[in-house]
């Protein structure tokens, strides 16, 4: 057992490490060190919390910690980068469900303590949390009840929302937006019932109110995310990340755990900021994101004229050999094909031939923020030639060749040309303004989001069909 002073000191140290970790993730060169800050901070948090005053049942806690650590290690080693978005969504669901269970447990303990205090007073058998409850004044107990309600609501919404997000990202649930008859009215009614149950609970109603509150919140989370289309899933993942943070912070207040409050607030606020940035990048209303009210069409899509014209690797190589400037736009298809190393080798050969080669990264490229940046860093692509959309979009008219590898929505001109498109108004990479565009794509399908792309039918676009890695591998020896 350690004294509270040691635990508080460790909490401060861990909080500082978490802040340094978040700050370092904004820079690709510092990201690895930032991740280690987070790992060390979390290790401090777990160890010193477990050894703190009033903590017991180590016979149960240690096996759970060991089992969870082993499972987490094995899952992380087996998951490919293409599966990272759904893994993140799954981890968010764990946080939400944990918040619900802890809140339920806290209320049951509160009821037991109040019953004992009424007859015997505070006893030595009380746990640390129970002893804390036993010393609270009536108004403080009311705040505890509000914390429990908030943790259950946010945690339950996070859990089912993350499960559906996982299903959509993994292809196990249809990516098209779907809602039950009544749409958003059902969500509003469920939220109103949650409010009434919360009032009844604070007024003294039984534990059943929390069970029904959780059930309604589970429904809201499910229905919110089911109503969001696949094109918007990167924003959904970020939004759920924020929700999981606020759920953790609520539990921190319930347990009077300062470190959990700080950590939850960091995750919640950073996730909310990221969601806002991504909403701007997709021209989405932030409030609509929170309410799940986006992802559908506003009318019939514009008809697309022309046809997709195929080209072979030889034709692409000839254009690259004659080009002075090349911009490569990576997308989720590059991740699926594991083509990042082949793309890196192509980049090396083109630069060795005196070509100017740069990468254009859209804020929501892939299915997770920063997905493409991580893949390119993994393949040793120099950081200084990897540019964000705002840095490179104006350069496309002066670009000889743009190569799109497995991207769809982020290079879709319908965002600017078709007001009825589901992505209307979304800022996109304007690759069609280049002299010629080559699109590496498996086939003529619409891709994950189900949105047709007029880029593929433009006169200056040629389609290089096939697996992205095989296509690039075939192309590399032809570069002079």
């Amino acid at each position: 057992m350690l004294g509270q002073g040691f635990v508080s000191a460790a909490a401060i140290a861990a909080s500082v490490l978490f802040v340094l970790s978040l700050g370092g993730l904004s820079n690709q060169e510092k990201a690895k060190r930032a991740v280690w800050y987070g790992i060390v901070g979390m290790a401090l948090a777990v160890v010193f919390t477990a050894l703190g005053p009033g903590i017991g049942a180590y016979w149960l806690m240690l096996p759970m910690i060991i089992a969870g650590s082993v499972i987490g290690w094995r899952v992380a080693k087996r998951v490919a980068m293409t599966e990272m978005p759904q893994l993140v969504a799954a981890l968010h669901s764990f946080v939400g469900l944990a918040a619900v269970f802890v809140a339920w447990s806290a209320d049951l303990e509160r009821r037991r303590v109040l019953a004992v205090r009424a007859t015997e007073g505070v006893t030595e058998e009380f746990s640390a949390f129970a002893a804390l409850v036993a010393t609270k004044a009536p108004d403080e107990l009311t705040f505890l009840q509000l914390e429990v309600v908030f943790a259950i609501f946010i945690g339950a919404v996070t859990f089912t929302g993350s499960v559906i997000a996982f299903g959509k990202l993994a292809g196990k649930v249809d990516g098209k937006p779907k809602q039950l008859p009544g749409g958003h009215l059902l969500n509003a009614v469920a939220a109103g019932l949650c409010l009434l149950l919360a009032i009844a609970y604070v007024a003294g109603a039984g534990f059943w109110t929390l069970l029904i509150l959780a059930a309604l919140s589970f429904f809201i989370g499910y229905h919110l995310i089911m109503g969001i289309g696949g094109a918007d899933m990167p924003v959904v993942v970020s939004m759920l990340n924020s929700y999981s943070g606020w759920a953790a912070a609520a539990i921190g207040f319930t347990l009077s755990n300062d470190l959990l409050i700080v950590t939850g607030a960091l995750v919640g606020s950073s996730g909310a900021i990221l969601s806002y940035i991504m909403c701007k990048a997709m021209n989405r209303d932030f409030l609509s994101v929170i309410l799940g009210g986006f992802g559908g069409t506003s009318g019939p899509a514009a008809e697309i004229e022309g046809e997709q014209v195929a080209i072979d690797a030889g034709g692409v190589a000839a254009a690259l050999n004659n080009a002075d400037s090349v911009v490569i736009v990576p997308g989720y298809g590059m991740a699926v094909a594991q083509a990042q190393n082949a793309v890196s080798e192509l980049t090396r050969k083109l630069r060795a031939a005196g070509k100017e080669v740069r990468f254009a990264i859209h804020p929501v490229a892939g299915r997770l923020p920063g997905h493409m940046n991580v893949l390119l860093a993994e393949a040793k692509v120099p950081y200084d030639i990897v540019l964000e959309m705002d840095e490179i979009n104006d350069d496309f008219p002066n670009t000889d060749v743009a190569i799109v590898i497995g991207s769809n929505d982020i290079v879709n001109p319908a965002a600017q040309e078709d007001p009825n498109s589901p992505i209307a108004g979304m800022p996109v990479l304007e690759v069609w303004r280049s002299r010629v565009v080559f699109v590496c794509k498996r086939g003529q399908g619409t891709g994950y989001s189900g949105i047709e792309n007029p880029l593929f039918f433009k006169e200056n676009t040629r389609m290089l069909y096939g697996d992205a890695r095989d296509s690039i591998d075939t192309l590399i020896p032809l570069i002079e």
Side-chain angles (χ1 to χ4, degrees):
M1 287 286 186
L2 296 175
Q4 185 59 45
F6 284 102
V7 176
S8 298
I12 294 173
S15 299
V16 172
L17 288 170
F18 291 149
V19 172
L20 291 174
S21 179
L22 279 176
L25 291 175
S26 63
N27 184 294
Q28 291 174 318
E29 296 180 1
K30 299 177 181 178
K32 287 185 178 180
R33 184 170 58 191
V35 170
W36 277 107
Y37 286 150
I39 292 172
V40 174
M42 187 56 67
L44 282 175
V46 171
V47 170
F48 280 85
T49 298
L51 297 177
I55 304 298
Y58 291 107
W59 59 272
L60 180 61
M61 184 189 306
L62 288 177
M64 292 297 99
I65 291 176
I66 293 171
S69 299
V70 171
I71 293 172
W73 176 272
R74 289 184 61 85
V75 169
K77 294 289 287 185
R78 293 175 57 185
V79 171
M81 272 303 302
T82 50
E83 300 171 327
M84 194 60 65
Q86 48 261 48
L87 174 63
V88 172
L91 294 177
H92 291 163
S93 74
F94 295 157
V95 177
L97 191 59
V100 174
F101 284 151
V102 171
W104 278 344
S105 177
D107 183 70
L108 291 174
E109 191 76 340
R110 179 188 68 87
R111 294 175 185 276
R112 184 181 74 86
V113 170
L114 292 179
V116 172
R117 186 174 68 173
T119 57
E120 304 175 22
V122 180
T123 71
E124 293 182 357
E125 296 180 358
F126 279 177
S127 65
F129 175 72
L132 178 67
V133 172
T135 59
K136 286 183 178 290
D139 58 337
E140 292 177 313
L141 288 175
T142 299
F143 276 106
L144 174 62
Q145 290 179 284
L146 293 175
E147 293 158 7
V148 166
V149 167
F150 183 77
I152 290 175
F153 179 78
I154 295 296
V157 169
T158 302
F159 172 68
T160 48
S162 297
V163 169
I164 298 302
F166 168 84
K168 289 196 173 190
L169 290 166
K172 300 180 184 298
V173 176
D174 190 348
K176 295 181 180 179
K178 293 182 178 179
Q179 289 185 328
L180 297 174
H184 298 302
L185 180 61
L186 286 177
N187 295 335
V189 170
L193 290 175
C194 286
L195 179 60
L196 293 176
L197 287 166
I199 294 172
Y201 165 68
V202 173
F207 184 73
W208 61 270
T209 54
L210 297 183
L211 294 176
I212 299 177
L213 174 67
L216 289 170
S217 301
F218 283 141
F219 167 77
I220 292 173
Y222 157 81
H223 202 229
L224 278 176
I225 308 306
M226 281 298 295
I228 297 176
D232 298 314
M233 290 314 293
V235 183
V236 171
V237 173
S238 175
M239 176 183 68
L240 291 170
N241 177 58
S242 179
Y243 286 178
S244 69
W246 298 126
I251 290 302
F253 280 107
T254 301
L255 301 178
S256 293
N257 187 309
D258 294 338
L259 182 55
L260 198 53
I261 294 171
V262 171
T263 305
L266 286 173
V267 174
S269 57
S270 60
I273 293 171
L274 180 58
S275 297
Y276 176 74
I277 292 172
M278 294 176 70
C279 285
K280 288 187 64 178
M282 297 180 69
N283 194 37
R284 301 297 191 192
D285 180 72
F286 186 66
L287 184 60
S288 293
V289 174
I290 297 174
L291 299 178
F294 64 107
T297 59
S298 56
E303 293 185 5
I304 299 176
E305 298 179 354
E307 61 180 356
Q308 297 183 21
V309 180
I311 193 172
D312 60 14
V316 177
L320 288 172
N321 287 328
N322 292 326
D324 293 320
S325 59
V326 178
V327 173
I328 300 175
V329 180
Y332 187 70
M334 185 186 77
V336 171
Q338 291 290 289
Q340 61 268 27
N341 290 309
V343 171
S344 179
E345 176 61 18
L346 174 64
T347 301
R348 188 193 64 77
K349 286 203 68 174
L350 289 171
R351 297 184 78 193
K355 320 290 183 183
E356 180 188 30
V357 182
R358 293 173 296 169
F359 286 79
I361 307 297
H362 193 280
V364 294
R367 296 186 187 174
L368 191 71
H371 198 175
M372 296 301 104
N373 300 76
V374 172
L375 285 176
L376 295 176
E378 178 187 44
K380 309 298 186 207
V381 172
Y383 297 137
D384 61 330
I385 66 171
V386 179
L387 305 178
E388 299 298 325
M389 177 179 64
D390 293 340
E391 299 176 292
I392 200 170
N393 231 3
D394 291 338
D395 295 346
F396 280 113
N398 300 317
T399 299
D400 294 320
V401 175
I403 305 177
V404 178
I405 306 177
S407 292
N408 193 335
D409 298 328
I410 63 173
V411 292
N412 194 333
Q416 298 180 0
E417 300 168 357
D418 182 7
N420 291 328
S421 171
I423 59 171
M426 169 180 162
V428 292
L429 290 162
E430 300 171 356
V431 295
W432 60 88
R433 299 171 66 192
S434 304
R435 186 172 63 84
V436 62
V437 182
F438 297 116
V439 179
C440 293
K441 200 169 182 290
R442 287 183 179 271
Q444 296 186 358
T446 56
Y448 175 71
S449 68
I451 303 173
E452 191 63 81
N453 192 338
L455 170 70
F456 305 155
F457 300 83
K458 288 188 175 293
E459 293 183 0
N460 65 332
T461 298
R462 295 294 180 268
M463 309 297 294
L464 181 60
Y465 294 119
D467 178 82
R469 183 168 62 180
D470 293 342
S471 296
I472 301 299
D473 283 339
T474 303
L475 190 60
I476 290 173
L478 304 179
I479 302 301
E480 299 174 355

